Amino acid sequence: MMVESASETIRSAPSGQNGVGSLSGQADGGGGGGGGAGAASTAGGCAGRDAASGAESNGEMSPAELLHFQQQQALQVARQFLLQQASGLSSPGNNDSKQSASAVQVPVSVAMMSPQMLTPQQMQQILSPPQLQALLQQQQALMLQQLQEYYKKQQEQLHLQLLTQQQAGKQQPKEALGNKQLAFQQQLLQMQQLQQQHLLNLQRQGLVSLQPNQASGPLQNLPQAVCPTDLPQLWKGEGAPGQPAEDSVKQEGLDLTGTAATATSFTAPPKVSPPLSHHTLPNGQPTVLTPRRDSSSHEETPSSHPLYGHGECKWPGCETLCEDLGHFIKHLNTEHALDDRSTAQCRVQMQVVQQLEIQLAKESERLQAMMAHLHMRPSEPKPFSPPVTVSAADSFPDGLVHPPTSAAAPVTPLRPPGLGSASLHSGGPTRRRSSSDKFCSPISSELAQNHEFYKNADVRPPFTYASLIRQAILETPDRQLTLNEIYNWFTRMFAYFRRNTATWKNAVRHNLSLHKCFVRVENVKGAVWTVDEREYQKRRPPKMTGSPTLVKNMISGLSYGALNASYQAALAESSFPLLNSPGMLNPGSTSSLLPLSHEDVGAPVELLSSNGSSSPPRLSPPQYGHQVQVKEEPAEAEEDGRPRPPLVPPNPNTTGPVEDRDLEEELPGEELS
DNA sequence: GTGTTTTTAAACATAC
DNA sequence: GGTATGTTTAAAAACA
């Protein structure tokens, strides 16, 4: 058969660096390759062919796309702010900017030069995930800070207005509204139009997502789209032609005649009130990025007035020039006294502030979601135990984070091997697997370290089906599982495999049949599957000597081993302490229990294994093999005439786990090759 | 361009 | 007949 010949070819193939090369193919090629087409065909084809699986596929596409879209938005935001940084700073090369860039580990050249010309995709490719994440966080923080700043300012304005009107306005007779009211309504209309325009612009830029519940309501979507820096300008509009002012008011939902019920909502101090209220970023860079150069610093001086800045009245839409504070106070008391117009403006301001607050909350929520998502990203460039810590990765220099065996994965640290799609579509159908198989991460240790992650996060594990099946089987005391138990292991261990059952189960069956390393053993109760470890290791070309790639891998492996301590130290500080807890470490490394002959494994691999293996000291008993039933009647299984797996004792009684563990150092076969 | 590996889809067979 | 299991083929993709 084809399979047979293929296997034989594999065995006899001299392909030196295949230990690495095949791993690359396995991880990226296989995953990515099948992924793209498979995903597409699954989404489409299954819908017609299999209603259930089609629905699943379609169902899973949406969140992935949404996630991707949000990532794109975030990248756009990052670009925007980088652009502002680049243009706003007087000298791009000054210390502040450098500190800023270095603080987030974003290359200065990239951070300062690229935003104008980089697409989000390019940024994704150029920036490593930690850098990208740091950049995103920085820019999100910037945006939040801006919003908060403006929110604060508006609040101050509003309070002051109310205060002034309460004190001074009471004595003054009410002015006739008449034209003023009309003009104000026209201003509202103008503001609405500007906001709509701005919203469209932002949506075009991907800065604001057009969500169904937002797109319909002008009141909601308008202020949401308002950039804090633009809001003051919205008050200054000339009378808008066309639409009657009343209509605009109604459409906008700004009930000028209503009570100021909403006013109470913002009197409470905003919960998002920034600890970073000052104008410094977490990285120390001052927030001089926005055009809001005129307000904050000046207004916050004790002798100033929140509504007075740069010699002019900051009352929304006023901008009357006042020579000094006294003039301004006088102007304030006369022009902005307690009347209907001022009240209406106040209410509008309330709406603005309220919407800003809403937007801030939404943005904050989005930020949290993004950070949570990025934090749990399983396939970071850090190949060993990817999802453990992004934050740790952030704190690492590139040399530490990036794949030690980067033969296949580009030496370019800026092009994360799987970040592009897989990590951003963590829940999506993309098949691009990114890391561990490729980068020689022992599956058992990685699974051990990230057990909880894979268990809960809808992320495709970066292992091949074969390696997962093997792991499942090896985790059981007797190294054998029925197909259904393998299914259960998949679903138990990986949230990802709780969906699309038809697809991956088929793949599991296919792999079981395809790979000679999986041996089916007949049982009275049915068939169980075992692993022929020798065959499994044969999948990897044993000899890797002489290959430059191998040399690189060896070096990388050694580096990895040497750096492992630092990495572990960083892990300790990660925000996934659970995964670093001793109990979490390597609970399922029963794969290492298997007695293995290393004869098929090339010496370099052993070198890598001994030096570079991140297998935790171990060994705790399997923790998640509890559902696996111990197969019985192994003797009968021997009668079926099928070749017994030479290295897999079907009889649990003959298995001495302790001895086995001593025998096997987590073989690099799958993981290292 | 070729070969390898993996994934996915699909058809088919068999057993329960 | 439906479902689970197992086998096989084919196509696609990525990578060396």
Side-chain angles (χ1 to χ4, degrees):
Chain A
M1 297 300 290
M2 262 180 57
V3 175
E4 195 65 25
S5 60
S7 297
E8 294 303 326
T9 304
I10 294 170
R11 282 184 206 129
S12 58
S15 52
Q17 72 281 16
N18 249 0
V20 173
S22 62
L23 180 59
S24 310
Q26 181 181 0
D28 269 0
S41 59
T42 301
C46 284
R49 171 179 34 84
D50 184 342
S53 63
E56 285 174 350
S57 299
N58 291 335
E60 73 180 356
M61 283 299 294
S62 297
E65 289 175 352
L66 180 62
L67 204 57
H68 182 66
F69 182 50
Q70 290 182 348
Q71 293 287 348
Q72 297 297 316
Q73 288 179 347
L75 283 167
Q76 289 284 359
V77 172
R79 290 174 56 205
Q80 291 268 328
F81 279 95
L82 279 176
L83 179 58
Q84 291 179 2
Q85 268 184 295
S87 60
L89 294 175
S90 56
S91 68
N94 63 21
N95 288 336
D96 285 344
S97 63
K98 284 179 180 176
Q99 285 174 359
S100 158
S102 63
V104 296
Q105 297 189 9
V106 176
V108 175
S109 57
V110 174
M112 302 311 297
M113 295 171 50
S114 55
Q116 296 97 324
M117 53 198 95
L118 282 184
T119 66
Q121 291 79 9
Q122 288 170 332
M123 289 188 67
Q124 283 181 333
Q125 291 175 350
I126 289 177
L127 298 178
S128 69
Q131 291 169 341
L132 197 58
Q133 186 196 18
L135 183 62
L136 290 177
Q137 288 177 357
Q138 176 194 354
Q139 308 310 338
Q140 288 285 339
L142 265 178
M143 188 163 66
L144 277 177
Q145 193 175 5
Q146 286 185 321
L147 283 172
Q148 290 163 355
E149 201 177 8
Y150 186 76
Y151 172 82
K152 184 181 175 184
K153 178 195 168 190
Q154 296 299 331
Q155 248 192 330
E156 289 173 352
Q157 285 185 350
L158 198 54
H159 280 241
L160 184 81
Q161 286 177 236
L162 291 174
L163 205 62
T164 306
Q165 288 164 359
Q166 283 175 356
Q167 292 175 351
K170 286 179 182 175
Q171 295 89 1
Q172 296 185 1
K174 269 192 174 181
E175 297 180 7
L177 291 181
N179 292 335
K180 283 187 176 180
Q181 178 78 22
L182 185 60
F184 175 62
Q185 289 176 346
Q186 287 175 343
Q187 280 186 342
L188 287 179
L189 176 61
Q190 176 74 6
M191 183 178 73
Q192 175 190 5
Q193 291 173 341
L194 287 173
Q195 286 174 335
Q196 283 176 333
Q197 188 177 0
H198 195 72
L199 172 64
L200 290 176
N201 289 336
L202 291 176
Q203 286 172 352
R204 266 195 292 271
Q205 297 168 4
L207 190 58
V208 169
S209 62
L210 183 58
Q211 299 173 7
N213 59 345
Q214 296 175 358
S216 58
L219 177 61
Q220 281 158 355
N221 66 25
L222 288 178
Q224 271 186 354
V226 172
C227 172
T229 59
D230 292 342
L231 272 171
Q233 299 173 3
L234 298 178
W235 289 95
K236 306 177 190 173
E238 297 295 328
Q243 194 174 0
E246 287 184 3
D247 289 346
S248 71
V249 172
K250 286 176 184 175
Q251 282 186 359
E252 200 162 1
L254 299 175
D255 183 11
L256 296 177
T257 61
T259 61
T262 57
T264 58
S265 65
F266 67 90
T267 53
K271 61 181 178 183
V272 284
S273 180
L276 37 94
S277 68
H278 241 335
H279 306 283
T280 44
L281 290 174
N283 55 20
Q285 181 181 0
T287 56
V288 291
L289 313 174
T290 72
R292 293 188 64 253
R293 64 213 174 273
D294 54 344
S295 55
S296 56
S297 64
H298 191 279
E299 291 169 357
E300 289 173 0
T301 63
S303 62
S304 68
H305 191 285
L307 286 173
Y308 180 63
H310 284 176
E312 64 182 24
C313 174
K314 307 300 285 185
W315 186 276
C318 179
E319 287 188 338
T320 300
L321 293 177
C322 302
E323 295 177 2
D324 54 22
L325 197 58
H327 282 85
F328 165 72
I329 296 295
K330 188 176 180 178
H331 159 80
L332 196 63
N333 290 334
T334 57
E335 296 298 324
H336 307 302
L338 179 59
D339 55 10
D340 289 351
R341 174 174 169 269
S342 296
T343 305
Q345 287 178 318
C346 251
R347 292 200 180 111
V348 172
Q349 187 70 14
M350 291 174 193
Q351 297 282 346
V352 170
V353 172
Q354 215 176 6
Q355 292 304 324
L356 281 172
E357 193 177 17
I358 292 172
Q359 184 179 357
L360 179 61
K362 287 185 176 180
E363 293 297 335
S364 180
E365 187 179 4
R366 179 186 298 180
L367 172 64
Q368 292 301 321
M370 290 171 68
M371 291 175 67
H373 164 71
L374 293 176
H375 202 80
M376 297 178 68
R377 185 170 43 199
S379 40
E380 283 297 320
K382 171 169 42 66
F384 34 89
S385 87
V388 170
T389 78
V390 169
S391 58
D394 287 342
S395 64
F396 273 49
D398 269 352
L400 282 171
V401 171
H402 288 292
T405 56
S406 54
V411 207
T412 84
L414 295 179
R415 189 234 173 229
L419 171 67
S421 57
S423 62
L424 293 182
H425 296 224
S426 60
T430 41
R431 307 297 182 225
R432 180 178 294 275
R433 294 171 303 116
S434 53
S435 57
S436 294
D437 274 7
K438 184 187 211 168
F439 299 117
C440 311
S441 169
I443 181 173
S444 59
S445 66
E446 169 147 349
L447 277 183
Q449 288 185 344
N450 306 308
H451 169 233
E452 287 298 322
F453 172 80
Y454 289 123
K455 196 174 179 178
N456 299 315
D458 188 13
V459 171
R460 185 187 183 89
F463 310 104
T464 63
Y465 280 112
S467 59
L468 287 173
I469 294 169
R470 169 179 173 266
Q471 182 67 20
I473 293 173
L474 296 185
E475 279 188 6
T476 64
D478 51 349
R479 324 285 199 275
Q480 55 184 11
L481 282 178
T482 65
L483 180 65
N484 196 44
E485 288 166 345
I486 295 174
Y487 291 162
N488 291 337
W489 185 87
F490 271 67
T491 54
R492 187 172 67 249
M493 294 293 291
F494 304 98
Y496 179 85
F497 290 120
R498 290 165 202 152
R499 307 180 291 116
N500 278 340
T501 55
T503 299
W504 67 261
K505 282 182 177 178
N506 187 18
V508 167
R509 291 195 305 271
H510 167 76
N511 274 267
L512 284 172
S513 294
L514 180 67
H515 299 300
K516 292 179 69 175
C517 58
F518 298 122
V519 180
R520 183 174 174 271
V521 178
E522 283 293 340
N523 206 329
V524 279
K525 290 185 177 180
V528 293
W529 290 92
T530 61
V531 177
D532 184 342
E533 198 63 31
R534 188 168 292 158
E535 287 293 333
Y536 186 85
Q537 299 303 332
K538 282 181 182 176
R539 293 169 59 228
R540 304 298 175 199
K543 302 300 179 186
M544 300 191 296
T545 56
S547 163
T549 310
L550 169 65
V551 173
K552 190 189 297 182
N553 283 334
M554 291 175 62
I555 296 173
S556 302
L558 290 170
S559 304
Y560 168 37
L563 295 173
N564 198 30
S566 302
Y567 173 63
Q568 293 296 336
L571 284 185
E573 297 177 354
S574 75
S575 45
F576 281 86
L578 176 63
L579 299 181
N580 300 317
S581 63
M584 268 308 156
L585 281 181
N586 200 35
S589 302
T590 43
S591 63
S592 58
L593 309 183
L594 200 74
L596 284 176
S597 65
H598 289 202
E599 53 199 328
D600 291 332
V601 183
V605 181
E606 284 191 332
L607 177 63
L608 283 178
S609 172
S610 58
N611 283 315
S613 171
S614 67
S615 301
R618 75 203 64 156
L619 276 165
S620 55
Q623 294 180 351
Y624 25 86
H626 56 279
Q627 295 181 5
V628 176
Q629 304 297 318
V630 175
K631 301 298 167 304
E632 296 180 354
E633 330 252 355
E636 289 205 17
E638 307 234 1
E639 299 175 359
D640 60 5
R642 300 176 71 100
R644 293 297 311 159
L647 297 176
V648 182
N651 191 344
N653 297 330
T654 65
T655 305
V658 178
E659 299 94 307
D660 291 340
R661 296 174 195 193
D662 292 339
L663 282 177
E664 192 209 359
E665 181 75 26
E666 175 71 80
L667 247 202
E670 167 72 25
E671 295 76 38
L672 276 182
S673 56

